[in-house]
């Protein structure tokens, strides 16, 4: 573990844990835990005027993180989104506090956060500013903390052995990278083009499993991961049966969050295993049990 965690001093100011329904927030600083790709949605009030939006999650303590939605024109959204990446330190200015509606579709498809609130940034007063990382070592250290318990995950062997019961279920996984393939552009059922990055992953129990990443921001994040060196704790991946390969595979969803090189004993053990392991062949044969 990093020794400076206990020593790092948090600057005074609004914290996520301080947020209440009546809070008026001038600014809030945090680590970007997740950044989702920009979307265009139809306004229920004016169907002819498209709305541009993207979402992020910021974190300022181990179990304090909150979802932030940013709304505005195409130019405004592109400008806000261009300022930072996942794991950047940002300052959120003039957000509106909203109480979560747990029965709404928004909450069903958003990543889980422990806060009872969410934040909204509206053009033109809502702003996101990049902050100097060196000024907040307390926030940088949070990048290696998973948002679930250290042992709250399946092994790849768990999935394969019980794959009949895992289809269309969400799962947390701890894995290492075996191969990062090229990004593909694929047309979905609605005729829209989507970017997909295919990863081959492994752990101590299984040396070959497919993970597909769809969100452009997650793809950008994953493109820097290193073979046999990067360990990932993934939360809320969707498991599905690929009719073409006849195997169980995993895919990201709008709820997926990745923690890179998690600071947990299980992560260190997997890293040591990855450094020492030798794969039987360069192009492995899919050896998962078909249904």
């Amino acid at each position: 573990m990093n020794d400076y965690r206990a020593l790092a001093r948090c600057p005074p100011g609004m914290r996520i844990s301080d947020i209440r329904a009546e809070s008026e927030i001038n600014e809030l600083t945090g680590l970007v835990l997740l950044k989702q790709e920009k979307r265009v949605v139809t306004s229920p009030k004016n169907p002819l005027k498209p709305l541009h939006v993207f979402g992020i999650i910021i974190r300022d303590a181990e179990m304090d993180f909150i979802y932030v939605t940013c709304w505005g024109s195409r130019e405004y959204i592109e400008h806000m989104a261009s300022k930072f990446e996942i794991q950047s330190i940002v300052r959120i200015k003039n957000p509106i506090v909203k109480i979560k509606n747990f029965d709404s579709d928004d909450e069903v498809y958003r990543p889980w956060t422990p806060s009872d609130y969410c934040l909204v940034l509206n053009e033109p007063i809502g702003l996101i500013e990049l902050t100097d990382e060196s000024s907040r070592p307390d926030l940088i250290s949070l990048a290696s903390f998973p948002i679930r318990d250290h042992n709250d995950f399946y092994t790849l062997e768990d999935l394969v052995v019980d794959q009949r019961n895992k289809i269309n279920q969400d799962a947390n996984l701890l894995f290492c990278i075996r191969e990062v393939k090229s990004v593909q552009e694929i047309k979905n059922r609605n005729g829209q083009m989507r970017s997909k990055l295919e990863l081959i992953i492994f752990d101590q129990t299984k040396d070959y499993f497919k993970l597909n990443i769809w969100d452009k921001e997650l793809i950008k994040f994953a493109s820097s991961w290193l073979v046999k060196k990067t360990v990932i704790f993934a939360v809320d991946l969707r498991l599905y049966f690929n009719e073409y390969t006849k195997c169980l595979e995993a895919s990201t969803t709008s709820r997926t969050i990745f923690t890179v090189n998690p600071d947990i004993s299980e992560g260190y053990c997997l890293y040591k295993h990855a450094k020492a392991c030798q794969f039987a062949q360069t192009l492995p044969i899919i050896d998962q049990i078909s249904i």
Side-chain angles (χ1 to χ4, degrees), residues 72-290:
S73 64
R74 179 176 61 83
E75 294 78 11
Y76 171 79
I77 293 300
E78 288 185 352
H79 178 62
M80 290 296 104
S82 68
K83 292 183 175 183
F84 65 95
E85 307 294 346
I86 296 174
Q87 294 190 341
S88 295
I89 305 299
V90 297
R91 185 180 295 112
I92 305 295
K93 290 191 170 183
N94 305 315
I96 298 170
V97 179
K98 290 195 173 184
I99 301 173
K100 280 183 180 177
N101 179 359
F102 292 96
D103 296 325
S104 71
D105 288 341
D106 285 344
E107 286 305 318
V108 171
Y109 294 105
R110 285 177 182 171
W112 174 84
T113 58
S115 176
D116 291 330
Y117 309 97
C118 57
L119 302 178
V120 178
L121 291 173
N122 290 317
E123 184 181 9
I125 61 171
L127 297 173
I128 303 176
E129 296 180 350
L130 188 65
T131 299
D132 181 13
E133 295 182 356
S134 64
S135 66
R136 296 300 303 268
D138 59 304
L139 296 180
I140 291 296
S141 68
L142 295 174
S144 59
F145 278 97
I147 63 169
R148 295 290 194 274
D149 289 340
H150 67 96
N151 57 357
D152 183 10
F153 63 87
Y154 289 106
T155 67
L156 299 181
E157 185 177 52
D158 290 337
L159 304 185
V160 174
V161 170
D162 191 33
Q163 62 180 313
R164 289 181 184 272
N165 296 319
K166 294 295 189 292
I167 296 174
N168 296 326
Q169 300 296 311
D170 289 344
N172 305 335
L173 300 178
L174 180 71
F175 58 83
C176 195
I177 308 302
R178 175 165 179 172
E179 184 179 356
V180 180
K181 299 200 173 184
S182 300
V183 177
Q184 296 177 297
E185 297 297 324
I186 296 177
K187 183 179 292 187
N188 64 16
R189 295 177 181 177
N190 298 325
Q192 299 174 324
M193 298 302 295
R194 295 288 309 277
S195 299
K196 184 187 83 165
L197 176 64
E198 182 181 296
L199 303 181
I200 307 300
I201 63 177
F202 70 97
D203 65 8
Q204 294 100 322
T205 68
K206 207 74 178 170
D207 63 9
Y208 189 95
F209 195 86
K210 282 188 179 181
L211 167 60
N212 294 310
I213 300 179
W214 291 94
D215 186 285
K216 287 183 179 178
E217 295 295 336
L218 290 180
I219 288 174
K220 187 188 303 182
F221 187 43
S223 296
S224 64
W225 297 349
L226 302 176
V227 173
K228 296 181 66 175
K229 292 184 178 180
T230 302
V231 174
I232 302 295
F233 193 119
V235 170
D236 286 335
L237 294 173
R238 175 54 59 96
L239 304 174
Y240 68 97
F241 184 70
N242 188 321
E243 293 291 347
Y244 178 73
T245 62
K246 302 300 180 185
C247 293
L248 192 71
E249 298 180 1
S251 177
T252 57
T253 70
S254 59
R255 296 172 60 87
T256 301
I257 295 177
F258 293 122
T259 300
V260 177
N261 296 326
D263 191 2
I264 55 177
S265 59
E266 295 86 350
Y268 291 131
C269 289
L270 178 54
Y271 178 73
K272 290 179 181 179
H273 168 79
K275 287 180 64 177
C277 74
Q278 297 293 328
F279 299 121
Q281 45 193 352
T282 304
L283 298 175
I285 299 172
I286 298 176
D287 59 355
Q288 301 173 56
I289 302 171
S290 299

Side-chain angles (χ1 to χ4, degrees), residues 25 111 126 274:
I25 305 174

Side-chain angles (χ1 to χ4, degrees), residues 40-51:
V40 180
V41 298
T42 302
S43 169
K45 297 181 180 179
N46 185 357
L48 298 180
K49 184 179 180 180
L51 298 175

